[in-house]
């Protein structure tokens, strides 16, 4: 998923390095999405493949 001009990508994964926790938005211009349990079409199993654990 690549954002268009002035588009923001929502994110509430606050332990990810790329999440702007104040705005609940991703800092990246482009993210990859993966389905962790096959291709059954279940949206709940879809997650961001760009996740990086935040260093404290």
């Amino acid at each position: 998923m690549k954002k268009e001009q002035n588009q923001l990508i929502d994110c509430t994964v606050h332990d990810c390095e790329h999440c702007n926790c104040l705005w609940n938005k991703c800092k990246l211009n482009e993210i990859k999405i993966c389905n962790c349990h096959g291709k059954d079409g279940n949206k709940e199993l879809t997650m961001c493949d760009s996740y990086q654990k935040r260093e404290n």
Side-chain angles (χ1 to χ4, degrees):
M1 169 191 281
K2 186 172 184 177
K3 66 182 183 179
E4 300 295 326
Q5 185 176 7
N6 298 326
Q7 180 184 15
L8 299 173
I9 300 170
D10 292 334
C11 180
T12 56
V13 183
H14 292 173
D15 67 338
C16 179
E17 181 69 30
H18 305 298
C19 181
N20 179 330
C21 301
L22 180 64
W23 300 100
N24 287 330
K25 302 294 180 188
C26 183
K27 297 176 186 175
L28 298 176
N29 289 326
E30 183 176 9
I31 61 172
K32 294 180 184 177
I33 304 298
C34 69
N35 188 309
C36 299
H37 301 286
K39 298 184 179 190
D40 62 2
N42 187 345
K43 187 175 180 179
E44 299 301 319
L45 301 177
T46 303
M47 65 177 283
C48 179
D49 197 37
S50 301
Y51 173 83
Q52 288 183 350
K53 179 113 175 108
R54 184 181 300 275
E55 298 288 328
N56 289 332

